[in-house]
Amino acid sequence: MALQSLDRFCHWLSETSLSQTIQTVGWVIPAVQTVHILAVAAVVSSALMIDLRLLGLRGTDQPLAILAQRFWPFIWWPLPILLASGAVLIIAEPARDLENPVFLLKMGLLLAATGVTLACQIPLRTDPTFWDISAGRKRVARLIAVASIPLWIAIVFAGRWIAYIQGA
């Protein structure tokens, strides 16, 4: 029943004038995909810089809070851009995304990566030295980075696989 409802919704959405316009104007999808990919690159590279600092591999010459303050805007500001560009891509081909298990995986990974990123950021808001105070906290910070890096990489892979995996 739920799949039938989703099928009907996808069919309805793909028949709307907005969807038809996005599908037929040749430059819209490539332009939106380019914006989407650039926003993903900003988020992933910024998260990686923070993660490498958490692991003690890069940026150790400056406090984590300072480095993170520089890169967090490039994680959070592109998210609305990703939401908008992703919505346009869904409207263009709703069944390709909404009925695709890889798209659902990507959204789950995004929620997890966002949660891990927040787990690092929130304590630093109240105490800029939070992750540097004790060996135990440093271990937790490294675990956050070890979780974060594969999550963001998996999001990139899932985003690419959406085009090649058929939905239900």
Side-chain angles (χ1 to χ4, degrees):
M1 183 67 175
L3 288 176
Q4 289 175 345
S5 295
L6 183 58
D7 269 347
R8 283 195 297 274
F9 173 74
C10 289
H11 179 73
W12 169 82
L13 185 56
S14 68
E15 297 296 321
T16 63
S17 60
L18 179 58
S19 180
Q20 293 295 309
T21 300
I22 295 168
Q23 292 174 40
T24 57
V25 176
W27 60 268
V28 174
I29 290 178
V32 172
Q33 285 178 337
T34 300
V35 169
H36 198 76
I37 290 167
L38 290 173
V40 167
V43 171
V44 172
S45 61
S46 297
L48 180 62
M49 293 304 296
I50 294 168
D51 292 337
L52 291 175
R53 172 57 178 84
L54 289 171
L55 291 169
L57 299 174
R58 291 283 183 255
T60 55
D61 59 330
Q62 57 190 308
L64 172 61
I66 302 238
L67 182 129
Q69 282 179 329
R70 185 172 54 223
F71 286 105
W72 273 324
F74 297 101
I75 293 174
W76 301 117
W77 293 351
L79 288 180
I81 295 167
L82 288 168
L83 178 65
S85 59
V88 170
L89 295 171
I90 290 169
I91 291 168
E93 298 179 274
R96 175 182 178 239
D97 293 326
L98 298 178
E99 294 181 345
N100 191 322
V102 178
F103 173 78
L104 297 176
L105 173 65
K106 180 183 173 185
M107 293 301 102
L109 291 166
L110 180 59
L111 286 173
T114 302
V116 168
T117 302
L118 283 170
C120 176
Q121 182 180 6
I122 290 171
L124 286 178
R125 286 183 182 169
T126 56
D127 181 2
T129 62
F130 182 85
W131 295 113
D132 296 321
I133 289 176
S134 70
R137 286 186 182 176
K138 286 180 182 180
R139 279 192 297 277
V140 172
R142 285 192 292 274
L143 286 173
I144 287 172
V146 166
S148 175
I149 292 170
L151 284 169
W152 289 112
I153 291 170
I155 289 167
V156 171
F157 275 89
R160 289 305 308 137
W161 289 340
I162 290 169
Y164 303 103
I165 303 294
Q166 296 298 317

